[in-house]
Structures are given as C-alpha cells and as structure tokens.
Amino acid sequence: MELLVPALAIAFGYRAVLGDARRGELDVLQTYPLSKPTFVLGVYLGRVTALLVVVLVPLLLVGAVVPFVGGTQSSVLATHAGADSAFLYLRFLTLTALFSMVGLGVALAVSATADSVRAAIALGLGFLVVLVVGLDVGIVAALGAGVVGEGSLQWVLALSPNSAFRGSSSEPSWARCRRRLCARPSPPRTSLDWRSGS
C-alpha cells in the first residue's frame, strides 16, 4: 500500500490542473465568477472520488470475501491476534483513504506548478521516489548519525507520510500482539521451503 497508493495518487493528479490549462479550459473558466481555490477544490474532489473508488473498493471486496473463504492461519507468515479484528480493518481503510487524499493533494500541487507534461511527470516521479524511499532513508540516516534521538523518533517519523501511514495502520495490531503471544512460524531452512509452503 505504501507504494501503490502514492503511485495511484500521482497517476490521478499529475495532469489534473495542467491538462485543463493546456486544453484552454482555464481560459474559459476565467469568464465565469469562479475563484481559483474553488476550481482547485472542485478538481480535487472529483479526482479524490475516483481515486478512493479505485483504492477502497478492492479492499472492501477483500474484506468481505476473506472471512468466508480463508482465515488468518498461515504456515509462512507471522500472524497475531489482531489480524481478525473488523475494527482494525476499518481503521486501516480509513487511514488508507486519508493517505490517498494526502498523496492526491501533493499530486495536484505538482500539476499546478508544472508548465509541461514532461515537467509534471518528472516532478511526480521525483515526489514518488522521495515519498516512498527518500524520507525513510533520511530518517534512518539521521537516526544512525545521532541527529535524531530515540525520544524524538516518533515525531520525526510523523513527518513522512509513508512512515505515518505505516505506524498508524500497523501499531494497533502490534500493540494487541504484544499483550498476547504472537504465533510465529519457524523460519524456512532453504528456498525450497518457501516454494513448498512448509
């Protein structure tokens, strides 16, 4: 989700304002009593509606099907007592929706500042790399260099949307796991163990 959601947000928003400007639609809209913030808000609301449908509908379908077909038992993955909580899944859906909305907001900012499609693609890809890899690598480097202490780590992690999403969506499950005994499978001895599922 940490890669998919920002990539989808960039795809949905990198040409939103730029495309309207290149087609001359902004010139037409200037003849109406429509403020720029209202226009951008309208574009955002239209794009975020489509983005949330694409992101949340598959997750809702999976959430509806899994209780009837499978379970949380796995011989390969570590599981915990919070894996079957409907409340935690709804929390995950809500945080995923918020994460999508933040990513789309940044993508619209990219679209509004770019002066060409090529620049919008470059800025969008740059944002994606910084969001998915750069901020977390920077935080780890700052922690390793002693610039960030363990006491302030949670506040620094909140500055990275990916870290904030990861921490917010998984922390309740792991906190519940710490209160109970987590079921951990034995590690595979060879790559054949992974393929055979034993």
Side-chain angles (χ1 to χ4, degrees), residues 5-6 9-17 40 44 48 51 98-114 120 123-131 135 159 161:
V5 168
I10 291 293
F12 271 80
Y14 84 99
R15 285 178 56 166
V17 176
V40 172
Y44 177 78
V48 82
L51 177 62
L98 291 173
F99 187 44
S100 302
M101 294 167 75
V102 168
L104 184 65
V106 174
L108 279 179
V110 164
S111 177
T113 57
L123 286 171
L125 289 176
F127 159 72
L128 188 63
V129 168
V130 167
L131 180 68
L135 291 174
L159 297 175

Side-chain angles (χ1 to χ4, degrees), residues 75-164:
S75 62
V76 177
L77 301 173
T79 59
H80 50 81
D84 59 350
S85 171
F87 172 75
L88 290 179
Y89 191 68
L90 288 175
R91 178 186 168 107
F92 171 72
L93 291 175
T94 303
L95 291 170
T96 302
L98 291 173
F99 187 44
S100 302
M101 294 167 75
V102 168
L104 184 65
V106 174
L108 279 179
V110 164
S111 177
T113 57
D115 57 352
S116 69
V117 175
R118 185 174 289 168
I121 292 171
L123 286 171
L125 289 176
F127 159 72
L128 188 63
V129 168
V130 167
L131 180 68
V132 172
V133 178
L135 291 174
D136 287 341
V137 168
I139 291 170
V140 169
L143 186 63
V147 175
V148 174
E150 288 185 33
S152 61
L153 182 60
Q154 67 182 359
W155 302 108
V156 174
L157 287 172
L159 297 175
S160 166
N162 268 15
S163 295

